[in-house]
Structures are given as C-alpha cells and as structure tokens.
Amino acid sequence: MRQTDRHTVTEALRAAALLCAAVAVALLFVYDRSDGARWDVLAALFTGAACIGAWALLTRNEPPLGPPEPAPEPMRDLPSVLPRNPVDWYLTAGMTLVALAPWAVFRYASYQEIDPAVLVIPALLLVPWTLVVLVLTVKNLLVRRLPEPQRLLAEDALAGRVVAVRFESAGAHWLRNVSEKSTKLIDPPLEHAQHLKVRDAKGDWYGMHGLLSALTGPDHARKQLSVFGPRTEGRHVWIYWPERWEPVLAVARRHGHPAYPVVAIADDGEMIWGYAALDYTDRYLTDPANLRATTPGVRARPVRPRPYFRPSVHGRMLLRLAVALAAVTPVLLDAVSGGVSAALGLVAAIAVIDAPFAALRGNTKVPDPSRYEVSPVHDFRTQPGS
C-alpha cells in the first residue's frame, strides 16, 4: 500500500471511530432505558472499537514523518501572513464526546434504577464537567485565539517588517531536568520541555519552544514541533521576532511568561508558533541588519501533524476506554439493574473522563525517540565538579 493511500485509510478509520462513538452517545440521550438489550448502541460502540483498533495496528510501525522529501529552494520572499494553527477536528470531536459521554452513560445507567436523591452528587459533578469541557473546547480548539505576544508578532509581519534571522535546524530535542528548587533526594520530579535547536551563521546555538499546553488534551502545538523538528533537521529555517519587541516583551512580563514570541518558517513555507527564552536573544534583536521586510500576500502554513499509535500515549487512553466499554456492556445488555447498574455507569463515566488526561500525561512525560533527541536528565542542583 502506498504511503498516501495508507494515510487516507488510517484517517478514515479515525473518523469512523469518532462517528460511531457520537452515534452511541446520541442514542443514549435520545432513548431512555427500557426493557431489553440495546443492540444499536452496542453495535456502534464495538464498530468504533474495531475501527480504532485497526488504526492502531496500521500505524504502530508507520514511519512518523513519511518518506523524506527533497530539500526546497531557499525562501526569498518572507511570508507576511502568519495564520493561527488549524482546527484539529479529531481532537475537537473527541473532546466534545468526552464532555457528553460521561453524563449520557451515567444518566442512562441510573435512570429509574435508584432513588433520584442518590443521583444528586454525581449529577452535581458530571453536569459542570460537561459544561466546562465544552467551553474549553470551543475556546481552545475552535476559536484558537493566539496569545497576545504572538498576535503582535503576526501584526508586525502583516505590517511589513520583522526581525528575522536564518538558522540551520538541528531538529527537535526533549529536555528533562531537575529544578534547583527541588528538595526531593530520591526520584525528584522532572521538568519536561520540548524545543527546536538551531544554529546561526556564526555557529552560535539558539532554541525555541512550542506554544504552551492546552487544557483540553495533547495540544496541537506540541505535535507540530515534533513534526517540524525532524522534517527540518539539517535544513535552514527563518525565525521571526516582532519589530516591536520591547512592548511585546512588556506584555509577556505582565502575563507572567517573560519570553519572546517567535515563529519558525521552513523554506517550503511550513511554520510553527512558539516562544524563545530571553537568554542570547538580544544579539539578534539589536542588530539593525536583522530588520527585514516581509512580502505582502505571501502566506505561511502551519504544520499539520500526522498522528500514529504510541502505546505510551494512545495505549493509556484506549485502556480507559476499554474499561468504560466493559463497564457499560452489562447495562446495555440489560443484565444488571438497580444500584449495580448505576455503579457501572459511574465507573464508565469516570474512565471516559480520565482517558484524555491519561493520554496527556503520557504525551508530556514519555519522549518519542523517533521524533526527538532525548538527552540525559540534567540536575540543576548539582554544580559541575562537585
């Protein structure tokens, strides 16, 4: 199977799995519990499980970036249009289902099965959960408003001038370190970060981080960096800072994140938003030769990640969804009733709620060596030579 055909099949499987889950949730909302098994809901759930299982099997050994492409010609016209990240429709649909499914499952499993007074506490927790996740999904995934410093950078690029320097990319790196403030001697908590490592024409090193994590799951920006880094390794990229970097830095300080907003753009026009630390940055911002004009109408395009199965991330999530399916199956078969039915519904709801957090924990703590260079843990409490 060709790479493009394989990608089309795997994307169709992901979409089908989400569609089946949406059908199951809708059926639970539309029809209240009655005598007899709910084969319609079970058919939707097990079909969705088969689709996501087939996706995992097809992508588990897939090269994460596809076949290497020839290096593009050096970019001569600097883009002036820096778009927001595209909508991640799969994540948006998934988080919408995570918002609605726990309430739908528990409501169906407990309807007319136990005293309504007993339902008050779970309802007080599940209804706010649904509302909060829906609001965050709309705000972070659909509206996808850029942070204010990045918006100012986009405005400067559109106005025609930015600070821009050409770097050679050394790929994506995963940083793991022990903070100087950590007092735990055994198994101290690690701080995790991913960054793009680049080198300028003088041989000096620099780096940028992706946008901050979203609250709604494994964020789009982190996945973009994990693709952009290996794809540009050994090639050149442009990094922009805003022309108005002093007021932009004041905004960043006011928001408690003192760093420069940047964007990295490859020669083929692909881009990622991010931040750069204050260290070693002034040497670029204060050099008048780095103030460059952007070309009107030239548009950069955000990197579109290509998800593939990772046990440390998707395995954790699918395990919880399997627990939810196992818990709700006796209810849908009408094999249990009363308090047992309500309890199984609550177990399924909790498992669904924890599924995206399990994936986020795995995505944050477990590096992917196929996309990142993983350095040893650095303990900042230990001085060199001590």
Side-chain angles (χ1 to χ4, degrees), residues 60 166 217 248 258 336 385:
R60 71 191 191 283
R166 191 161 172 82
V248 166
V336 294

Side-chain angles (χ1 to χ4, degrees), residues 18-19 22 88-99 137 141-142:
L18 288 170
L19 179 60
D88 188 337
W89 291 109
Y90 294 102
L91 182 55
T92 301
M95 292 309 300
T96 302
L97 290 172
V98 166
T137 299
L141 298 180
L142 289 178

Side-chain angles (χ1 to χ4, degrees), residues 91 95 132-133 135-138 140-141 213-219 356 360:
L91 182 55
M95 292 309 300
V132 168
V133 175
V135 169
L136 289 176
T137 299
V138 171
N140 292 339
L141 298 180
S213 301
L215 297 176
T216 46
D219 60 289
L360 179 60

